[in-house]
Amino acid sequence: MSTEEPPLSRAERRRSTEKRILNVARQLFGELGYDRATIRGIAKAAQVDPALVMQYFDSKENLFRQVVRLDAAQSAPETADPLIAQLMAGLGVKLAGMPAPSLAMLRSMLTHPDTAAEMRETFDRQIKQVSAVLEGDDAELRAALLIMAHLGVVVGKHLLELEPLRDTRPERIIELLDPCFKTLTDPAS
Amino acid sequence: MSTEEPPLSRAERRRSTEKRILNVARQLFGELGYDRATIRGIAKAAQVDPALVMQYFDSKENLFRQVVRLDAAQSAPETADPLIAQLMAGLGVKLAGMPAPSLAMLRSMLTHPDTAAEMRETFDRQIKQVSAVLEGDDAELRAALLIMAHLGVVVGKHLLELEPLRDTRPERIIELLDPCFKTLTDPAS
DNA sequence: GCTTTCACTCAACGAGCGTAGAGTGAAGCG
DNA sequence: CGCTTCACTCTACGCTCGTTGAGTGAAAGC
């Protein structure tokens, strides 16, 4: 169908190959996690020699970093004004279409030490941010519970793919979660 | 200190060795997950030849199954009467001292396909059980959210080891989570 | 058109893995 | 005491992995 080939220049071809590898890597890291996604598997799926992957990305660790870096870039608007509302909005985004690179991080966060460390930092930061605007006792704890509950739902939907979560509109999920989380954000325990 | 050695019989020695291997395996599978915990590593930590592990447990997959089987045996009282209360009590137990084998399952659930499948079954079953006693719309969805929020908190405490969760008494956590989850169990959305 | 560049492949390495079979030496038993 | 049993070790296999360095052939530059 698109067998028409506007003859690509060398540089164009190179960029397109690199991007293809990156896309495949993103998908496989997301599906399989760091350990089970292999350079050889990525290369085969990208229809390329494994050695080429190394030339472009130096090492598997570095390829993984490139893959998950795309995430960090797009995930932090950080205006932090109506922070809680924004947290919920963030959840909405994550539920609708999880940014693909995040999947790779999520998938590997329990088994890949570097990812675990990075994730813990991220969550610690979020906890501090959120708890700063929470009133009442145990603000940090409540923030942590809030964020981990988020995490659980996202994991259930995108990684475990539980049917009730898979098949429900994100808006409905947020609708249900909203009053639930209000009990953690409002100082009335 | 305990360098006293009541001379063990051959059968006793064998059982003790097997148990030692199993304990080490449980710990390493829990800390590292299925893939990164190796037979060789387990054998070394148990001060035993790798081949012996194979003789006793046939294969790595089977050793892992033995390890996580201990979990299933102890985790299901299943009287299911005041089911929700029991769910919270279960969370209390998980927060206090996670049954060690469960850690191995939790740790591997995102990257080890068999574990993922088993976990999904477990959660599906729990969702059905809980949703059966929930009134109102979207019972299954609400049950799923409940259970996944649980999961997130447990993961945050035992696997990510977030400080606020690590350092807080389980009772306090349940105290905070209880009203939060009530909004999901009571039909008032 | 000749040379240089460079995207890409080929072949191979060393390491670590799960696993198998033959061996060993002390405990158990007649 | 001698034979058997068996908990345990040794050695090695085949595989897959990440990674490397030498090649190749077509595009780019002069």
Side-chain angles (χ1 to χ4, degrees):
Chain A
M1 301 313 167
S2 65
T3 326
E4 46 174 330
E5 304 204 353
L8 298 177
S9 80
R10 188 141 64 168
E12 286 169 330
R13 241 193 111 52
R14 143 115 208 198
R15 261 186 311 247
S16 108
T17 302
E18 191 168 327
K19 189 159 217 161
R20 182 158 32 92
I21 294 173
L22 209 53
N23 284 340
V24 167
R26 191 163 53 180
Q27 187 190 329
L28 289 185
F29 278 132
E31 284 176 13
L32 305 176
Y34 181 84
D35 287 319
R36 294 200 168 213
T38 66
I39 293 287
R40 291 169 131 97
I42 291 165
K44 179 173 288 185
Q47 301 187 85
V48 143
D49 191 275
L52 190 67
V53 178
M54 298 304 295
Q55 279 181 239
Y56 287 176
F57 298 96
D58 289 343
S59 71
K60 184 183 180 183
E61 279 286 351
N62 196 61
L63 171 59
F64 184 74
R65 270 192 292 267
Q66 294 290 109
V67 161
V68 301
R69 178 145 330 160
L70 305 182
D71 180 37
Q74 80 185 64
S75 78
E78 301 273 9
T79 23
D81 221 326
L83 188 56
I84 304 300
Q86 201 163 333
L87 192 67
M88 293 308 289
L91 177 61
V93 170
K94 291 194 196 80
L95 286 176
M98 191 69 181
S102 300
L103 271 191
M105 285 202 75
L106 271 192
R107 177 80 69 186
S108 305
M109 93 188 138
L110 302 184
T111 41
H112 186 242
D114 290 2
T115 305
E118 201 167 324
M119 273 302 216
R120 191 158 39 216
E121 275 181 36
T122 301
F123 288 133
D124 280 342
R125 200 172 345 107
Q126 277 186 14
I127 289 172
K128 248 117 195 161
Q129 274 185 24
V130 170
S131 70
V133 304
L134 289 185
E135 299 170 15
D137 294 340
D138 288 326
E140 277 209 346
L141 174 59
R142 281 151 55 213
L145 291 175
L146 212 57
I147 288 165
M148 285 304 102
H150 271 192
L151 177 68
V153 172
V154 171
V155 164
K157 164 149 189 175
H158 292 292
L159 301 186
L160 299 175
E161 307 187 88
L162 302 182
E163 288 161 37
L165 299 178
R166 199 82 185 111
D167 304 343
T168 308
R169 312 187 336 270
E171 301 83 22
R172 178 66 184 136
I173 291 183
I174 294 202
E175 215 173 287
L176 284 168
L177 248 28
D178 198 58
C180 173
F181 288 163
K182 278 258 188 330
T183 69
L184 283 171
T185 56
D186 291 2
S189 74
Chain B
M1 302 310 171
S2 64
T3 326
E4 46 174 331
E5 302 203 354
L8 298 177
S9 79
R10 187 141 66 167
E12 286 170 330
R13 240 193 110 53
R14 144 114 206 199
R15 260 185 312 246
S16 108
T17 303
E18 192 168 325
K19 190 159 216 162
R20 182 158 32 94
I21 294 173
L22 209 54
N23 283 340
V24 167
R26 191 163 53 181
Q27 188 190 331
L28 289 185
F29 277 132
E31 284 177 12
L32 306 175
Y34 181 85
D35 287 320
R36 294 200 169 212
T38 66
I39 293 286
R40 290 168 132 97
I42 290 165
K44 179 173 289 185
Q47 302 187 85
V48 143
D49 191 275
L52 190 67
V53 178
M54 298 304 294
Q55 280 181 238
Y56 287 176
F57 298 96
D58 288 343
S59 72
K60 184 183 181 182
E61 279 286 351
N62 196 60
L63 171 58
F64 184 73
R65 269 193 292 267
Q66 294 289 108
V67 161
V68 301
R69 178 145 331 159
L70 305 183
D71 181 37
Q74 79 185 66
S75 78
E78 302 274 9
T79 24
D81 219 329
L83 189 57
I84 304 302
Q86 201 163 334
L87 192 67
M88 293 308 288
L91 177 60
V93 171
K94 292 195 196 78
L95 286 176
M98 190 70 181
S102 300
L103 272 191
M105 286 201 74
L106 271 193
R107 178 81 68 186
S108 306
M109 94 190 138
L110 303 184
T111 41
H112 185 243
D114 289 2
T115 303
E118 201 167 323
M119 275 301 217
R120 191 160 37 217
E121 276 180 34
T122 300
F123 288 133
D124 280 343
R125 199 172 347 107
Q126 277 186 14
I127 289 172
K128 249 117 196 162
Q129 274 185 24
V130 171
S131 70
V133 304
L134 289 185
E135 298 171 14
D137 294 339
D138 287 326
E140 277 209 345
L141 174 58
R142 282 151 54 215
L145 292 175
L146 212 55
I147 288 165
M148 285 304 102
H150 271 192
L151 177 68
V153 172
V154 171
V155 164
K157 165 150 189 175
H158 292 292
L159 301 187
L160 299 175
E161 307 186 88
L162 302 182
E163 289 161 36
L165 299 179
R166 200 76 185 118
D167 303 343
T168 307
R169 313 188 334 272
E171 302 84 21
R172 178 65 184 137
I173 291 182
I174 295 204
E175 215 175 286
L176 284 168
L177 248 27
D178 198 60
C180 173
F181 287 163
K182 278 256 183 340
T183 68
L184 283 171
T185 57
D186 292 1
S189 75

